[in-house]
Amino acid sequence: MRVYENANKKTRELKAVYCNKCKKEIKITRGILMEDVYHGEKEWGFFSDKDGEIHGFDLCEECYDEFISQFQIPVQTKKKKEFLA
Ligand SMILES: [Zn+2]
């Protein structure tokens, strides 16, 4: 879950991020997350019961690992080749 300051203005600043599963608060320094999180967002379409709804959530790495460990087919993993300096 993401909490923004000035939520209704164009220049909104990320104020807090919480893991939706365990409620852990992810540390933020000057608008930058100090711990990586999984952010999922889905705009549901016509062939669903949630047509027009946009769902979003965040998971800390621990909850993400627990979530994907339940998959029958493992996640597809690629190595990023280049990192920006
Ligand atoms: Zn968590």
Side-chain angles (χ1 to χ4, degrees):
M1 184 187 78
R2 291 173 180 234
V3 180
Y4 291 94
E5 214 161 0
N6 304 321
N8 298 320
K9 293 178 184 174
K10 274 188 174 178
T11 54
R12 60 183 194 167
E13 191 181 320
L14 191 58
K15 200 181 170 193
V17 176
Y18 296 91
C19 173
N20 280 71
K21 186 156 188 277
C22 71
K23 290 184 174 176
K24 176 180 161 181
E25 184 175 0
I26 311 299
K27 289 230 180 314
I28 294 175
T29 303
R30 290 184 212 100
I32 296 165
L33 286 167
M34 292 290 108
E35 195 181 314
D36 210 359
V37 295
Y38 175 84
H39 178 70
E41 198 167 285
K42 168 66 181 164
E43 188 177 328
W44 290 97
F46 184 72
F47 297 105
S48 75
D49 294 331
K50 304 174 222 8
D51 187 21
E53 292 180 19
I54 300 168
H55 291 191
F57 63 89
D58 292 276
L59 292 176
C60 70
E61 191 171 6
E62 199 174 285
C63 290
Y64 173 83
D65 287 343
E66 191 188 313
F67 175 52
I68 66 167
S69 73
Q70 298 164 13
F71 290 3
Q72 296 293 317
I73 299 170
V75 295
Q76 290 171 299
T77 305
K78 291 177 192 171
K79 278 279 181 203
K80 200 171 172 178
K81 285 180 185 146
E82 288 175 37
F83 289 90
L84 295 173

